[in-house]
Amino acid sequence: MSVVQQASINGASIRLVYPSMLSADPTRLGQQMLDVELAGADGIHWDIMDGSYVDAITFGAHVIAAHRKLTSLPFNVHLMVDNPDRHVTAFSDSGANSIIVHPETCWHLHRTLDIVKNLGKKSGIALNPATSIESIEYCVDILDIVLVMTVNPGSSGQEFIDSQLKKISTLRKKLPPEIEICVDGGVNPSTFKACVENGANSCITGSFLFNSTDYREAIKCLR
Ligand code: DX5
Ligand code: ZN
């Protein structure tokens, strides 16, 4: 059963919540990952930045591999890197369950998604706020997740961009129901509620969750 089917068992809408480790305390990554797992996280989101496609540099595959030993939660790896084909195998081997790429970074997007699928992982496309949905039209058969960027990629703590709600609703109408629509950036209970009303299934939460004092309560509020 797909994650999206699971999310609507018996008509009850369960919203999936994936904490982004970018907003965790970098001196206590492993502990904070276990804390959010205990608080009810549905998976862990790893923001991989290469200092080229976006300015910041974050985690390498060895960091993901080290954390893989601590939890069995699904890991989604969001590659904000130029030419991700160079890195897909390393992140797959590190224990990623899904690998998400930006169309602007791929020479041959369909081939990149195909590589991810052939590695046995879920594939995802991340759409920047200014990126239209056209690039995914002929990839739907090898696509599991659309990550709608509700901020521009590169850092946490930015403000949610309202215009992306229309994109979410257009995607939900066009995509098969088994494709997960996940929102990333500026998520809080109020912005995520609007996203869900427009057809989103899941969210990434960075600063909202890690700035809160009670992770369990924060995840509950998001759901
Ligand atoms: C932005 C990243 C996001 C970010 C989310 O480039 O893809 O995952 O860390 O952080 P918040 O929730 O603070 O916007
Ligand atoms: Zn992300």
Side-chain angles (χ1 to χ4, degrees):
M1 188 184 289
S2 79
V3 73
V4 177
Q5 285 168 319
Q6 277 178 351
S8 60
I9 289 173
N10 300 328
S13 149
I14 302 165
R15 290 115 193 228
L16 301 170
V17 176
Y18 310 123
S20 162
M21 297 310 292
L22 185 62
S23 293
D25 177 349
T27 66
R28 297 191 304 123
L29 279 185
Q31 186 55 53
Q32 293 226 300
M33 182 183 73
L34 296 175
D35 290 345
V36 295
E37 174 173 22
L38 201 63
D42 297 293
I44 300 294
H45 184 80
W46 292 97
D47 284 304
I48 313 302
M49 305 184 184
D50 67 349
S52 176
Y53 178 59
V54 293
D55 292 341
I57 298 175
T58 58
F59 316 108
H62 66 297
V63 177
I64 313 310
H67 287 78
R68 180 71 291 169
K69 295 181 185 139
L70 303 178
T71 178
S72 56
L73 278 182
F75 278 179
N76 53 66
V77 165
H78 176 190
L79 291 179
M80 286 164 274
V81 304
D82 284 327
N83 194 7
D85 289 19
R86 293 176 301 161
H87 304 286
V88 160
T89 303
F91 280 101
S92 171
D93 291 349
S94 76
N97 298 82
S98 51
I99 297 181
I100 301 166
V101 297
H102 285 252
E104 299 86 355
T105 64
C106 300
W107 286 102
H108 304 289
L109 176 61
H110 190 282
R111 188 172 66 193
T112 305
L113 298 174
D114 223 20
I115 294 169
V116 171
K117 295 297 286 180
N118 285 330
L119 287 164
K121 310 295 175 170
K122 287 189 179 180
S123 67
I125 292 179
L127 297 174
N128 284 340
T131 305
S132 74
I133 65 173
E134 268 68 48
S135 59
I136 64 179
E137 186 171 355
Y138 294 101
C139 298
V140 164
D141 54 323
I142 50 167
L143 186 62
D144 298 295
I145 302 159
V146 179
L147 189 72
V148 177
M149 296 300 300
T150 39
V151 299
N152 283 292
S155 62
S156 59
Q158 302 179 72
E159 201 168 321
F160 183 89
I161 300 173
D162 287 324
S163 60
Q164 302 309 301
L165 292 173
K166 187 174 162 219
K167 188 188 284 178
I168 295 166
S169 122
T170 306
L171 282 165
R172 188 68 288 163
K173 284 181 201 125
K174 290 195 173 207
L175 292 176
E178 63 272 17
I179 294 189
E180 179 177 357
I181 298 179
C182 183
V183 290
D184 188 6
V187 165
N188 61 40
S190 136
T191 57
F192 187 42
K193 181 168 185 280
C195 293
V196 169
E197 284 166 0
N198 279 277
N201 308 104
S202 58
C203 71
I204 310 306
T205 173
S207 46
F208 171 75
L209 177 65
F210 285 102
N211 288 341
S212 73
T213 48
D214 184 338
Y215 295 160
R216 176 169 289 279
E217 187 59 26
I219 290 175
K220 197 173 130 202
C221 288
L222 285 169
R223 288 215 183 91

CSV table of all heavy atoms in Angstrom, one decimal, residues 3 16-21 33 36-37 40-46 68 71-76 97-98 203-205 209-210 219 223:
chain,number,residue,atom,x,y,z
A,3,VAL,N,2.1,5.2,0.5
A,3,VAL,CA,2.0,6.1,1.7
A,3,VAL,C,0.8,7.0,1.6
A,3,VAL,O,0.1,7.3,2.6
A,3,VAL,CB,3.3,6.9,1.8
A,3,VAL,CG1,3.4,8.0,0.7
A,3,VAL,CG2,3.5,7.6,3.1
A,16,LEU,N,1.1,13.4,6.9
A,16,LEU,CA,2.4,12.9,7.2
A,16,LEU,C,3.4,14.0,7.5
A,16,LEU,O,3.4,15.0,6.8
A,16,LEU,CB,2.9,12.0,6.1
A,16,LEU,CG,2.0,10.8,5.8
A,16,LEU,CD1,2.4,10.1,4.6
A,16,LEU,CD2,2.1,9.8,7.0
A,17,VAL,N,4.2,13.9,8.5
A,17,VAL,CA,5.1,15.0,8.9
A,17,VAL,C,6.5,14.5,8.9
A,17,VAL,O,6.9,13.5,9.6
A,17,VAL,CB,4.7,15.5,10.3
A,17,VAL,CG1,5.7,16.6,10.8
A,17,VAL,CG2,3.3,16.1,10.3
A,18,TYR,N,7.4,15.2,8.2
A,18,TYR,CA,8.8,14.8,8.1
A,18,TYR,C,9.7,15.9,8.6
A,18,TYR,O,9.8,17.0,7.9
A,18,TYR,CB,9.2,14.5,6.6
A,18,TYR,CG,8.3,13.5,5.9
A,18,TYR,CD1,7.6,13.9,4.7
A,18,TYR,CD2,8.0,12.2,6.4
A,18,TYR,CE1,6.8,13.0,4.0
A,18,TYR,CE2,7.2,11.3,5.7
A,18,TYR,CZ,6.6,11.8,4.5
A,18,TYR,OH,5.8,10.9,3.8
A,19,PRO,N,10.3,15.8,9.7
A,19,PRO,CA,11.2,16.9,10.2
A,19,PRO,C,12.5,17.0,9.3
A,19,PRO,O,13.0,16.0,8.8
A,19,PRO,CB,11.6,16.4,11.6
A,19,PRO,CG,10.5,15.5,12.0
A,19,PRO,CD,10.1,14.8,10.7
A,20,SER,N,12.9,18.2,9.0
A,20,SER,CA,14.1,18.5,8.3
A,20,SER,C,15.3,18.7,9.3
A,20,SER,O,15.2,19.6,10.1
A,20,SER,CB,14.0,19.7,7.4
A,20,SER,OG,15.3,20.2,7.1
A,21,MET,N,16.3,17.8,9.1
A,21,MET,CA,17.4,17.9,10.0
A,21,MET,C,18.3,19.1,9.9
A,21,MET,O,19.1,19.4,10.7
A,21,MET,CB,18.3,16.6,9.9
A,21,MET,CG,17.6,15.3,10.2
A,21,MET,SD,16.8,15.3,11.8
A,21,MET,CE,18.2,15.4,12.9
A,33,MET,N,17.2,13.6,16.1
A,33,MET,CA,16.5,12.7,15.2
A,33,MET,C,15.7,11.7,16.0
A,33,MET,O,14.5,11.5,15.8
A,33,MET,CB,17.4,12.0,14.3
A,33,MET,CG,16.7,11.1,13.3
A,33,MET,SD,17.8,10.2,12.2
A,33,MET,CE,18.5,9.0,13.4
A,36,VAL,N,12.6,13.4,17.7
A,36,VAL,CA,11.4,13.7,16.8
A,36,VAL,C,10.8,12.3,16.4
A,36,VAL,O,9.6,12.3,16.2
A,36,VAL,CB,11.8,14.5,15.6
A,36,VAL,CG1,12.1,15.9,16.0
A,36,VAL,CG2,12.8,13.9,14.6
A,37,GLU,N,11.6,11.3,16.4
A,37,GLU,CA,11.0,9.9,16.1
A,37,GLU,C,10.0,9.6,17.3
A,37,GLU,O,8.9,9.2,17.1
A,37,GLU,CB,12.1,8.9,16.0
A,37,GLU,CG,11.5,7.5,15.9
A,37,GLU,CD,12.5,6.4,15.6
A,37,GLU,OE1,13.7,6.6,15.8
A,37,GLU,OE2,12.1,5.3,15.0
A,40,GLY,N,6.8,11.2,17.2
A,40,GLY,CA,5.8,10.8,16.2
A,40,GLY,C,6.1,11.1,14.8
A,40,GLY,O,5.2,11.0,13.9
A,41,ALA,N,7.3,11.5,14.4
A,41,ALA,CA,7.6,11.9,13.0
A,41,ALA,C,7.4,10.6,12.1
A,41,ALA,O,7.6,9.5,12.5
A,41,ALA,CB,9.1,12.3,12.9
A,42,ASP,N,7.0,10.9,10.9
A,42,ASP,CA,6.7,9.8,9.9
A,42,ASP,C,7.9,9.5,9.1
A,42,ASP,O,7.9,8.5,8.4
A,42,ASP,CB,5.5,10.2,9.0
A,42,ASP,CG,4.3,10.4,9.8
A,42,ASP,OD1,3.7,9.4,10.3
A,42,ASP,OD2,3.8,11.6,9.9
A,43,GLY,N,8.9,10.3,9.2
A,43,GLY,CA,10.1,10.1,8.4
A,43,GLY,C,11.1,11.2,8.6
A,43,GLY,O,10.7,12.2,9.4
A,44,ILE,N,12.3,11.1,8.1
A,44,ILE,CA,13.3,12.2,8.3
A,44,ILE,C,13.7,12.8,6.9
A,44,ILE,O,13.9,12.0,6.0
A,44,ILE,CB,14.5,11.6,9.0
A,44,ILE,CG1,14.1,11.1,10.4
A,44,ILE,CG2,15.6,12.7,9.1
A,44,ILE,CD1,13.6,12.1,11.4
A,45,HIS,N,13.7,14.1,6.9
A,45,HIS,CA,14.1,14.8,5.6
A,45,HIS,C,15.5,15.3,5.8
A,45,HIS,O,15.8,16.1,6.7
A,45,HIS,CB,13.1,16.0,5.5
A,45,HIS,CG,13.2,16.7,4.2
A,45,HIS,ND1,12.7,16.3,3.0
A,45,HIS,CD2,13.7,18.0,4.0
A,45,HIS,CE1,12.9,17.2,2.1
A,45,HIS,NE2,13.6,18.2,2.6
A,46,TRP,N,16.3,15.0,4.8
A,46,TRP,CA,17.7,15.4,4.8
A,46,TRP,C,17.9,16.4,3.6
A,46,TRP,O,17.7,16.0,2.4
A,46,TRP,CB,18.7,14.2,4.6
A,46,TRP,CG,18.7,13.3,5.8
A,46,TRP,CD1,17.9,12.2,6.0
A,46,TRP,CD2,19.4,13.5,7.0
A,46,TRP,NE1,18.2,11.6,7.2
A,46,TRP,CE2,19.1,12.4,7.9
A,46,TRP,CE3,20.3,14.4,7.5
A,46,TRP,CZ2,19.7,12.2,9.1
A,46,TRP,CZ3,20.9,14.3,8.7
A,46,TRP,CH2,20.6,13.2,9.5
A,68,ARG,N,21.5,6.3,9.6
A,68,ARG,CA,20.7,5.1,9.2
A,68,ARG,C,20.7,4.0,10.2
A,68,ARG,O,19.8,3.3,10.4
A,68,ARG,CB,21.2,4.6,7.8
A,68,ARG,CG,20.5,3.5,7.2
A,68,ARG,CD,19.1,3.7,6.7
A,68,ARG,NE,18.1,4.0,7.7
A,68,ARG,CZ,16.9,4.4,7.5
A,68,ARG,NH1,16.5,4.8,6.3
A,68,ARG,NH2,16.1,4.6,8.6
A,71,THR,N,17.9,4.5,13.3
A,71,THR,CA,16.5,4.5,13.2
A,71,THR,C,16.0,3.7,12.0
A,71,THR,O,16.8,3.6,11.0
A,71,THR,CB,15.9,5.9,13.1
A,71,THR,OG1,14.5,5.9,13.0
A,71,THR,CG2,16.5,6.7,11.9
A,72,SER,N,14.8,3.2,12.0
A,72,SER,CA,14.3,2.6,10.8
A,72,SER,C,13.3,3.5,10.1
A,72,SER,O,12.6,3.1,9.2
A,72,SER,CB,13.7,1.2,11.1
A,72,SER,OG,12.7,1.4,12.1
A,73,LEU,N,13.1,4.7,10.6
A,73,LEU,CA,12.2,5.7,9.9
A,73,LEU,C,12.6,5.9,8.5
A,73,LEU,O,13.8,5.9,8.2
A,73,LEU,CB,12.2,7.0,10.6
A,73,LEU,CG,11.4,7.3,11.9
A,73,LEU,CD1,11.6,8.7,12.3
A,73,LEU,CD2,9.9,6.9,11.6
A,74,PRO,N,11.7,6.1,7.5
A,74,PRO,CA,12.1,6.4,6.2
A,74,PRO,C,12.9,7.7,6.1
A,74,PRO,O,12.6,8.6,6.8
A,74,PRO,CB,10.7,6.6,5.4
A,74,PRO,CG,9.7,6.0,6.3
A,74,PRO,CD,10.2,6.0,7.7
A,75,PHE,N,13.9,7.7,5.3
A,75,PHE,CA,14.8,8.9,5.1
A,75,PHE,C,14.4,9.4,3.7
A,75,PHE,O,14.5,8.7,2.7
A,75,PHE,CB,16.2,8.5,5.0
A,75,PHE,CG,16.9,8.4,6.4
A,75,PHE,CD1,18.2,8.1,6.5
A,75,PHE,CD2,16.2,8.6,7.6
A,75,PHE,CE1,18.8,7.9,7.8
A,75,PHE,CE2,16.8,8.5,8.8
A,75,PHE,CZ,18.1,8.2,8.9
A,76,ASN,N,14.0,10.7,3.6
A,76,ASN,CA,13.9,11.3,2.3
A,76,ASN,C,15.1,12.3,2.1
A,76,ASN,O,15.3,13.1,2.9
A,76,ASN,CB,12.5,11.8,1.9
A,76,ASN,CG,11.9,12.7,2.8
A,76,ASN,OD1,12.4,13.8,3.0
A,76,ASN,ND2,10.8,12.3,3.4
A,97,ASN,N,15.5,6.3,1.5
A,97,ASN,CA,14.3,5.6,1.0
A,97,ASN,C,13.7,6.3,-0.2
A,97,ASN,O,13.1,5.6,-1.1
A,97,ASN,CB,13.2,5.4,2.1
A,97,ASN,CG,13.7,4.6,3.3
A,97,ASN,OD1,14.4,5.2,4.1
A,97,ASN,ND2,13.5,3.3,3.3
A,98,SER,N,13.8,7.6,-0.2
A,98,SER,CA,13.4,8.3,-1.4
A,98,SER,C,14.4,9.4,-1.7
A,98,SER,O,15.1,9.9,-0.8
A,98,SER,CB,12.0,8.9,-1.2
A,98,SER,OG,12.0,9.6,0.0
A,203,CYS,N,4.1,17.1,4.8
A,203,CYS,CA,4.9,18.3,4.9
A,203,CYS,C,6.3,18.0,5.5
A,203,CYS,O,6.5,17.0,6.2
A,203,CYS,CB,4.3,19.4,5.7
A,203,CYS,SG,4.2,19.0,7.5
A,204,ILE,N,7.2,18.9,5.1
A,204,ILE,CA,8.5,19.0,5.8
A,204,ILE,C,8.4,20.1,6.8
A,204,ILE,O,7.9,21.2,6.5
A,204,ILE,CB,9.6,19.4,4.7
A,204,ILE,CG1,9.6,18.5,3.5
A,204,ILE,CG2,11.0,19.3,5.4
A,204,ILE,CD1,9.6,17.0,3.7
A,205,THR,N,8.9,19.8,8.0
A,205,THR,CA,9.0,20.9,9.0
A,205,THR,C,10.4,21.1,9.5
A,205,THR,O,11.0,20.1,10.0
A,205,THR,CB,8.0,20.6,10.2
A,205,THR,OG1,8.2,21.6,11.2
A,205,THR,CG2,8.1,19.2,10.8
A,209,LEU,N,9.2,23.1,13.9
A,209,LEU,CA,9.3,22.0,14.9
A,209,LEU,C,10.5,22.2,15.8
A,209,LEU,O,10.3,22.1,17.0
A,209,LEU,CB,9.5,20.7,14.1
A,209,LEU,CG,9.7,19.4,15.0
A,209,LEU,CD1,8.5,19.1,15.8
A,209,LEU,CD2,10.0,18.2,14.1
A,210,PHE,N,11.7,22.5,15.2
A,210,PHE,CA,12.8,22.5,16.1
A,210,PHE,C,12.9,23.7,17.0
A,210,PHE,O,13.7,23.7,18.0
A,210,PHE,CB,14.1,22.3,15.3
A,210,PHE,CG,14.3,20.9,14.8
A,210,PHE,CD1,14.0,20.5,13.5
A,210,PHE,CD2,14.7,19.9,15.7
A,210,PHE,CE1,14.1,19.1,13.1
A,210,PHE,CE2,14.8,18.5,15.3
A,210,PHE,CZ,14.5,18.2,14.0
A,219,ILE,N,4.1,18.3,16.4
A,219,ILE,CA,3.7,17.4,15.3
A,219,ILE,C,2.2,17.2,15.3
A,219,ILE,O,1.6,17.2,14.2
A,219,ILE,CB,4.5,16.1,15.4
A,219,ILE,CG1,6.0,16.3,15.1
A,219,ILE,CG2,3.9,15.0,14.5
A,219,ILE,CD1,6.9,15.1,15.3
A,223,ARG,N,-0.5,18.0,12.2
A,223,ARG,CA,-1.5,17.0,11.7
A,223,ARG,C,-2.9,17.4,11.8
A,223,ARG,O,-3.8,17.1,11.1
A,223,ARG,CB,-1.4,15.7,12.5
A,223,ARG,CG,-0.1,14.9,12.2
A,223,ARG,CD,-0.3,13.4,12.1
A,223,ARG,NE,0.9,12.8,11.9
A,223,ARG,CZ,1.8,12.4,12.9
A,223,ARG,NH1,1.5,12.6,14.1
A,223,ARG,NH2,2.9,11.8,12.6
